[in-house]
Amino acid sequence: MSRAETTKTVLVAGAANLILAIAKLIAGALAGSSAMLAEGAHSVGDTLNQGFLLASLGRSERPPDRRHPFGYGNERYVWSLLAAFGIFVAGAGFSISYGILTMMGRGGTGTSVWLAYAVLGLAAVLEGTSWIRAVYQARQETRENGRGLVEHVRRSPDLTFKAALFEDSTAMIGLVLAAAGLTLREITGSDVWDGLASVLIGLLLVVLAFGIGRESTVLLIGRAADPAAQREIRSEILGARGVTGVDELLTMHFGPEQILVAAKVNFSDDISADEAEDVAGEIDRRLRERLPAVRHVFLDPTQRTVRRGEPA
């Protein structure tokens, strides 16, 4: 369900950004507003990024093959990293540079301010709809895992969903900055406010790009399953017959919906090698039933005698 919900979230965000990219650029050019043009560049970047993220959803679901035995789940994080780069170049770079030029008196001129305000109103509706869709998905997922909203977003390995949510949240803040800059320009007659708003929007996009890029890098390197999932995995292994302890438990995400589990498991001395193999198969099956994200389980069975009073 998570992947289907993420696809819907990305599609809603992409459609909203495509419409707004065109409207903002036209309004910015006619109104001579660098802040509106910065918002237009922001929406262009976001539209491209939603395309990247949508492509990642399909490509990451390709089945494992001989060259990629664990599948292509990590490709989600590669495309998210490209999306972060796109935000930085297409959005932040243009917004900051054009904002500085406007503050220096080299910006464009225009008179159709009413159009800029109308587009900002349209943007508030469309961006707000996209943001509500992303929050709705987060709420659905928190009802399933029992976490708070902030904690879920922080710990979720679904970077495609997080990127869409972060972009929509940043877009809402950017609209406020653009409206403030445009209003102060009209009140004071100074382009400095409009340029300053553009620079602030650019800096906001720098923060967004850094956040998504950092998360992508951490997950590409290989992040362990969250502590709650690790406790469930350890509990399931320890509950199997003949298991006396778990010396080492290693987990790693291959995409948001695929977890690899490797564990060194201690068996009691009265368990034969054939029985240990059967128990390992049971553990594999039960882990997949309890945690559907678990796709690969590797157990290294060892034997030791647990003495009285010795912890397992």
Side-chain angles (χ1 to χ4, degrees), residues 13-14 30 38 51-52 64 90 94 96 102 125 130-131 136 146 203 238 263 310 312:
L30 294 177
F52 286 153
F94 175 84
I96 293 174
T102 299
V125 173
S130 178
W131 181 79
Y136 170 75
L203 293 175
L238 288 172
E310 179 184 357

Side-chain angles (χ1 to χ4, degrees), residues 26-34 37 98 107-116 182 185-186 191 194:
I26 293 174
L30 294 177
S33 170
S34 62
L37 289 174
Y98 197 77
T109 58
T111 57
S112 302
V113 179
W114 63 270
L115 180 59
L182 192 59
R185 187 192 75 169
E186 293 304 303
D191 286 337
D194 191 41

